[in-house]
Amino acid sequence: MKKIEQIDISGDVGLRIWGKSIEELFKNAATGMFNLVTDTNKIKETEQKEVSLEADNHENLLVQWLNELVFLYDTYGFIGKVFRISIQGNMLKATISGGIFDPGTNESRLLIKAATYHGLSLKKVALHWEATVIFDI
Amino acid sequence: MAIEGLRRIDSNRIEVPRGYKTGMRTNGIIYVDETLEKELEAHSIEQVANVATLPGIAGSSLAMPDIHTGYGFTIGGVAAFDLKDGIISPGGVGYDINCGVRLLRSNLNKEEITPKIKEIVNAFYRDIPTGVGSKGKLRLNSNEHKKVLLKGARWVVEQGFGEREDLEHTESQGCIEGADPDLISEKAYKRGSAQLGTLGSGNHFTEIQFVDEIYDEGAANSLGLFKDQITVMIHTGSRGFGHQVCTDFLEVMQRAVRKYNIELPDRELACAPFDSPEARDYLAAMKAAANYAWANRQLIMHWVKESFMHVLGAGPETTGMSLIYDVAHNIAKVEEHVVNGKKRKLIVHRKGATRAFSPGHADLPEVYKQTGQPVIIPGDMGRASFVLIGTEKGMEESFGSTCHGAGRVMSRHQAIKKAKGRAIWREMEDMGIIVRATGRGTLAEEMPEAYKDVSNVVNVVHNAGLSKKVARLRPLGVIKG
């Protein structure tokens, strides 16, 4: 199954994301987003971050999750590579392993301002999950 | 493009009538001529109509000729709401709160600077932190950070980066009163602490230009502009700090929509009644982010001046660089306007739109009282930018507002595809423009063809009388994120 696909939007960029479980979808969304920022293959795993979130519903949880990651890289330069995620109800707990972006050696792609609610969707289709998120860049 | 239900009012305006969509409380007006009409996106028309459904909207839901689809509110949108029955919406301001532009004049002319452009562009690139992951030269401690939020550009001038008169030449004197640092999340503080004095990425830039054409000698004179003069334009905003404030308050507003039972055609229009604690908190936080942005542009201007002096080996008297004006183009402000013959205080949202106050307006500094407010309109990196001034007609028709830039015609992906196999930097150099960018795809995404021709956009606001052309500026060198 395809994990992510980039969506073409005038001025901005979006992702269509798939996952066999909601946790896998959140993981694929995170990997997809970090790859919009830089080539994550070139990032060494040197740090761990813990994230804990609660939202009103799964869609909002996805936006909050991605915005938490935007915060981590925009503040600390942190790029996540390995995600251990558990979602219970509308609560998410994650442990992320990753490293710090180095403007000197790592490739600069897009600077994401935020994950938005614009055109946001997240649903279970047959046996898998599917979502669309658009980023403001 | 023929879209059912729209009506052309005159050569510069299209009406989106009240019946276009259920729930519209007023009509929409889109400022486009027949050329730009062809580039109108159906979704952006829908967004103009959506904004017209919001409670307490005063006058029409407006869109400037650089209109394109945004989040909730269209980019290029202007909407004013009543302070009693109306709302405030972060989506009507945008993620980059007080994204804006400032323009510097100089005593230098094109002929003497052209041979040095490469050196100056390299100096900019070295002195102004640019692109993904760049950090500012200042690290703000918590006390200093709060002062930036309260004082804006004034704080930067107090630290020795700039002159008192810079503040006179900045919209709102570089500081809106009423910012409240206590309403800012810890995340926004953390994101903002290392980003003051950084350019950012995307369409943000610092550009060396020359005055290529003057349309209004008198106004150009009072702005200190002359033919072939070197100018510098800085386009950036409140960086991660403002993005985080918007992100934080979109969540607050989603809850407010349910609490106050506001019916919305689109979730990104999330808002709160202007007279509510949620609205008061957002406004005070938005002001803090606006002040951060003015401080940011003030600091970058200081490094621009230093780069010029360093490369030319000359003092400030020789370079003669000073600020003409600084305008915000993503902001909401309480202003007084006349609607249907009645003076009203309104909360005016400008998202991708610029304030353009007329001569004599009380909010203008003495120096521009007679001329009117300077309006700075950046174009793409290959064609042109413009200086305009505000007009009385703009006060009457568009809450003293005008366009903000060119507006994209190609998505980033389309632009990258179109640029494949081409060296955009070389194409630009062949045109006599030196460019440097941090991001791998930035130059492709930002290539001139990806944008509408700003001249077409500016001609519409000029012909519609919303603001008046003063001068056209051509690029010579630019750094991007």
Side-chain angles (χ1 to χ4, degrees):
Chain A
M1 186 173 55
K2 210 178 204 176
K3 289 180 177 168
I4 45 163
E5 181 182 277
Q6 211 167 309
I7 318 171
D8 205 20
I9 298 150
S10 126
D12 288 308
V13 66
L15 288 179
R16 190 159 294 133
I17 313 138
W18 292 269
K20 283 182 202 134
S21 62
I22 190 161
E23 285 87 356
E24 193 186 279
L25 183 137
F26 272 57
K27 178 185 118 202
N28 291 344
T31 308
M33 191 191 79
F34 278 125
N35 270 308
L36 292 175
V37 178
T38 189
D39 179 357
T40 58
N41 290 321
K42 301 277 161 62
I43 299 285
K44 290 191 192 90
E45 274 177 66
T46 54
E47 303 205 4
Q48 269 205 352
K49 300 273 181 198
E50 304 283 337
V51 170
S52 168
L53 294 168
E54 189 175 0
D56 299 338
N57 54 51
H58 280 159
E59 283 186 352
N60 289 3
L61 191 64
L62 179 61
V63 167
Q64 281 191 32
W65 160 242
L66 294 172
N67 277 330
E68 188 69 26
L69 304 178
V70 167
F71 165 75
L72 289 176
Y73 94 75
D74 201 33
T75 308
Y76 308 111
F78 178 80
I79 302 284
K81 287 193 75 163
V82 180
F83 305 87
R84 279 184 298 279
I85 301 171
S86 84
I87 295 174
Q88 261 159 9
N90 293 330
M91 278 169 62
L92 171 149
K93 278 191 192 309
T95 306
I96 314 164
S97 303
I100 302 301
F101 176 87
D102 174 5
T105 56
N106 294 128
E107 183 190 316
S108 291
R109 291 180 179 168
L110 296 172
L111 200 156
I112 295 173
K113 292 176 188 162
T116 75
Y117 296 95
H118 184 75
L120 173 67
S121 77
L122 170 64
K123 55 181 187 268
K124 197 169 182 190
V125 181
L127 295 174
H128 71 275
W129 289 78
E130 221 177 275
T132 303
V133 182
I134 293 165
F135 299 96
D136 193 4
I137 51 175
Chain B
M1 137 185 265
I3 292 176
E4 210 60 35
L6 299 189
R7 181 180 76 89
R8 181 160 280 288
I9 305 170
D10 55 32
S11 53
N12 296 303
R13 291 183 300 169
I14 283 179
E15 186 189 27
V16 186
R18 261 184 86 165
Y20 185 80
K21 192 169 183 163
T22 325
M24 283 173 76
R25 296 165 196 258
T26 182
N27 64 346
I29 293 177
I30 304 174
Y31 286 83
V32 280
D33 60 8
E34 284 187 354
T35 311
L36 290 174
E37 182 189 324
K38 295 187 188 86
E39 283 159 12
L40 262 183
E41 305 154 308
H43 199 182
S44 63
I45 301 167
E46 183 87 9
Q47 292 188 327
V48 172
N50 286 344
V51 169
T53 69
L54 295 174
I57 185 159
S60 305
S61 163
L62 303 172
M64 295 297 130
D66 42 350
I67 176 171
H68 64 96
T69 305
Y71 304 120
F73 290 66
T74 172
I75 315 282
V78 178
F81 299 90
D82 191 77
L83 298 194
K84 217 170 116 240
D85 311 318
I87 53 94
I88 188 168
S89 172
V93 172
Y95 281 94
D96 197 358
I97 296 167
N98 190 3
C99 183
V101 204
R102 65 170 51 194
L103 183 70
L104 281 76
R105 67 170 302 284
S106 76
N107 288 343
L108 309 163
N109 64 47
K110 185 190 166 201
E111 207 178 321
E112 60 186 315
I113 294 304
T114 303
K116 306 255 185 198
I117 289 294
K118 211 170 228 170
E119 246 182 291
I120 301 171
V121 167
N122 287 338
F124 280 2
Y125 200 70
R126 190 189 57 226
D127 294 344
I128 305 167
T130 300
V132 176
S134 61
K135 299 275 180 253
K137 298 174 189 174
L138 300 182
R139 287 287 181 284
L140 298 172
N141 65 34
S142 143
N143 194 24
E144 290 164 335
H145 206 157
K146 283 182 180 165
K147 283 187 181 154
V148 169
L149 306 186
L150 286 169
K151 294 177 153 186
R154 206 191 313 155
W155 182 81
V156 178
V157 171
E158 283 169 7
Q159 305 310 302
F161 303 103
E163 316 295 326
R164 283 251 147 234
E165 68 171 30
D166 295 343
L167 304 176
E168 271 229 334
H169 293 235
T170 305
E171 183 174 327
S172 298
Q173 289 77 49
C175 169
I176 313 189
E177 297 297 327
D180 187 347
D182 293 340
L183 293 168
I184 301 300
S185 69
E186 199 186 326
K187 275 186 187 161
Y189 274 115
K190 282 185 176 162
R191 244 173 121 170
S193 72
Q195 294 191 6
L196 194 70
T198 64
L199 192 61
S201 185
N203 60 358
H204 293 158
F205 64 79
T206 302
E207 185 172 277
I208 311 159
Q209 315 161 319
F210 70 97
V211 179
D212 154 68
E213 189 158 358
I214 288 186
Y215 304 98
D216 181 334
E217 279 291 345
N221 222 2
S222 53
L223 268 55
L225 289 169
F226 55 87
K227 183 115 168 62
D228 288 330
Q229 176 189 28
I230 293 293
T231 59
V232 178
M233 191 177 276
I234 300 164
H235 177 207
T236 185
S238 50
R239 309 286 291 103
F241 181 83
H243 310 160
Q244 189 65 43
V245 168
C246 182
T247 296
D248 293 343
F249 276 91
L250 274 173
E251 276 180 45
V252 173
M253 293 300 177
Q254 302 238 20
R255 289 193 293 272
V257 167
R258 288 194 295 272
K259 179 174 160 190
Y260 299 104
N261 244 331
I262 305 171
E263 243 179 82
L264 294 179
D266 176 354
R267 177 160 39 169
E268 284 264 323
L269 293 171
C271 56
F274 188 76
D275 188 15
S276 70
E278 290 86 351
R280 276 191 289 280
D281 287 359
Y282 170 66
L283 188 60
M286 186 217 71
K287 287 174 175 176
N291 291 343
Y292 184 102
W294 273 310
N296 192 33
R297 291 196 288 274
Q298 179 70 28
L299 208 45
I300 291 176
M301 177 173 82
H302 178 77
W303 292 319
V304 162
K305 288 181 178 177
E306 284 205 328
S307 298
F308 261 83
M309 289 193 285
H310 181 79
V311 171
L312 301 177
E317 302 80 21
T318 311
T319 57
M321 299 189 96
S322 65
L323 181 57
I324 292 180
Y325 208 62
D326 176 307
V327 288
H329 55 221
N330 274 7
I331 203 159
K333 285 172 136 183
V334 174
E335 293 170 3
E336 204 171 71
H337 290 279
V338 178
V339 186
N340 299 328
K342 229 177 110 192
K343 226 181 220 185
R344 290 169 70 182
K345 266 199 168 168
L346 301 166
I347 176 82
V348 182
H349 294 63
R350 296 189 183 91
K351 181 189 190 181
T354 313
R355 195 187 77 170
F357 280 176
S358 65
H361 196 286
D363 285 0
L364 294 184
E366 270 319 306
V367 52
Y368 295 131
K369 264 270 164 34
Q370 267 203 307
T371 322
Q373 183 208 306
V375 176
I376 321 293
I377 307 296
D380 60 73
M381 63 183 176
R383 281 179 287 207
S385 295
F386 285 85
V387 180
L388 296 90
I389 41 169
T391 62
E392 200 46 55
K393 192 158 182 225
M395 297 309 302
E396 290 161 13
E397 265 190 32
S398 60
F399 306 101
S401 315
T402 191
C403 62
H404 88 304
R408 293 188 78 92
V409 277
M410 266 184 223
S411 70
R412 286 168 201 270
H413 187 70
Q414 281 169 326
I416 288 172
K417 231 165 112 186
K418 193 111 192 260
K420 212 166 186 173
R422 288 163 57 183
I424 300 297
W425 68 269
R426 186 169 298 139
E427 288 180 24
M428 301 290 295
E429 203 165 307
D430 289 344
M431 289 160 65
I433 305 161
I434 306 296
V435 293
R436 282 198 72 172
T438 321
R440 192 186 63 152
T442 304
L443 286 183
E445 289 164 16
E446 292 294 313
M447 67 178 176
E449 300 144 76
Y451 284 89
K452 289 177 196 169
D453 187 342
V454 72
S455 307
N456 294 337
V457 171
V458 163
N459 283 339
V460 172
V461 294
H462 175 84
N463 294 335
L466 299 187
S467 46
K468 194 163 171 266
K469 285 201 278 190
V470 175
R472 183 174 65 198
L473 315 166
R474 295 268 189 205
L476 289 170
V478 59
I479 61 161
K480 285 196 166 263

